[in-house]
């Protein structure tokens, strides 16, 4: 894939109709033996469409975004932010200490500037709501408003209704203000330390699914998606891509593990 004049993506493919039928701003511009060259306008919607068609496309975030905050992003953080902008439902499995929080903040800020999202709900363990998320928001996106929803039900509801662009809440607090969160207009839901959602049979998983069901964007963050066994990934997969995940736990287990004995 080539980038021409920072405006157009040129894709080589044997099936150009897959692109031209899915993307309005595209056309066939040439042919080389069995491959056709298709020119595609380089915008976020077009890059997302190409990605969904299995044509890995760069995010225009790399061209358009002015990285905010006091610190410059590392290359892997740029790659992570750009990956997230291309995928409405995504897993970020970067290892601990690689700056996943900052990558999410930059990606969300970029989408806000484009008008793709307006509010973000961050669900995280109680221990890192302020020390990681609130502090990093002040550090990397000080122009965005954020608030921590903690305490009594009334206090949490007040924060949710405050209109803050980023609302941070702990997993156990979801049930306390479930309806307020559903009605809160959150376009993007982020789950940090998402291994807390590994078991879809738990009340916590079902509550999270209820709260995030109407949000078009969902990003799950964890450096240990299968800390104890491959089946730990079942709950995460059912949230991000339920149509491609086995309906039942036993089916998923049989796909990812070998049974040696009774």
């Amino acid at each position: 894939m080539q980038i021409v004049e920072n405006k157009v993506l040129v894709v080589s493919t044997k099936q150009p109709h897959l692109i031209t039928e899915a993307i309005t701003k595209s056309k066939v511009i040439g042919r080389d033996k069995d491959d056709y060259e298709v020119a595609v306008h380089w915008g976020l919607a077009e890059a997302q469409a190409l990605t969904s068609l299995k044509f890995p496309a760069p995010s225009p975030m790399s061209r358009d975004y002015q990285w905010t905050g006091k610190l410059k992003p590392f290359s892997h953080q740029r790659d992570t932010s750009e990956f997230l902008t291309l995928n409405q439902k995504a897993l970020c499995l970067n290892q601990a200490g690689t700056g996943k929080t900052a990558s999410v903040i930059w990606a969300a800020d970029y989408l806000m500037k484009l008008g793709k999202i307006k509010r973000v709900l961050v669900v995280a363990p109680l221990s890192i709501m302020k020390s990681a998320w609130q502090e990093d928001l002040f550090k990397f996106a000080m122009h965005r408003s954020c608030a921590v929803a903690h305490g009594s039900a009334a206090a949490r509801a007040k924060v949710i209704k405050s209109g803050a662009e980023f609302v941070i809440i702990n997993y156990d607090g979801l049930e306390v203000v479930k309806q307020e969160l559903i009605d809160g207009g959150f376009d993007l839901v982020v789950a940090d330390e998402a291994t807390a959602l590994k078991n879809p049979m738990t009340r916590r998983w079902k509550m999270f699914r209820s709260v995030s069901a109407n949000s078009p964007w969902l990003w799950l963050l964890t450096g240990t998606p299968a800390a104890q066994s491959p089946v730990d990934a079942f709950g995460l997969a059912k949230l991000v891509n339920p149509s491609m995940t086995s309906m039942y736990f036993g089916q998923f287990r049989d796909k990812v593990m070998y049974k040696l004995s009774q």
Side-chain angles (χ1 to χ4, degrees), residues 143-163:
H143 55 290
R144 297 295 180 187
S145 58
C146 73
V148 176
H150 185 54
S152 65
R156 293 174 188 265
K158 184 178 180 181
V159 168
I160 295 167
K161 295 176 182 178
S162 68

Side-chain angles (χ1 to χ4, degrees), residues 122-129 133 168-171 190-193:
V122 176
V123 187
L126 186 65
S127 59
I128 63 172
M129 288 197 304
W133 280 98
I168 308 162
I169 193 170
N170 62 314
Y171 284 100
V190 179
D192 198 1
E193 301 295 341

Side-chain angles (χ1 to χ4, degrees), residues 79-234:
D79 292 341
T80 301
S81 294
E82 292 168 21
F83 164 78
L84 292 173
T85 64
L86 294 175
N87 297 275
Q88 289 186 262
K89 303 291 179 72
L91 286 161
C92 176
L93 308 179
N94 297 5
Q95 294 181 355
T98 54
K100 293 189 290 293
T101 303
S103 296
V104 168
I105 291 170
W106 280 316
D109 182 51
Y110 172 67
L111 293 174
M112 285 180 173
K113 288 182 177 179
L114 292 182
K116 300 294 183 181
I117 64 174
K118 294 181 179 179
R119 298 193 79 193
V120 180
L121 175 67
V122 176
V123 187
L126 186 65
S127 59
I128 63 172
M129 288 197 304
K130 293 185 178 180
S131 61
W133 280 98
Q134 190 176 43
E135 288 186 8
D136 277 1
L137 277 161
F138 288 146
K139 189 184 300 181
F140 298 108
M142 61 289 295
H143 55 290
R144 297 295 180 187
S145 58
C146 73
V148 176
H150 185 54
S152 65
R156 293 174 188 265
K158 184 178 180 181
V159 168
I160 295 167
K161 295 176 182 178
S162 68
E165 292 168 304
F166 286 82
V167 173
I168 308 162
I169 193 170
N170 62 314
Y171 284 100
D172 294 332
L174 296 177
E175 188 171 4
V176 179
V177 283
K178 174 184 175 181
Q179 195 57 50
E180 287 83 352
L181 291 170
I182 293 175
D183 298 336
F186 294 102
D187 312 286
L188 165 61
V189 176
V190 179
D192 198 1
E193 301 295 341
T195 46
L197 304 169
K198 65 182 181 181
N199 186 352
M201 298 302 294
T202 61
R203 189 180 185 89
R204 173 182 288 177
W205 188 93
K206 294 175 182 177
M207 187 60 56
F208 180 87
R209 184 182 62 176
S210 297
V211 168
S212 62
N214 295 326
S215 299
W217 294 77
L218 173 65
W219 299 337
L220 307 184
L221 319 179
T222 175
T224 54
Q228 296 177 316
S229 79
V231 296
D232 286 353
F234 183 51

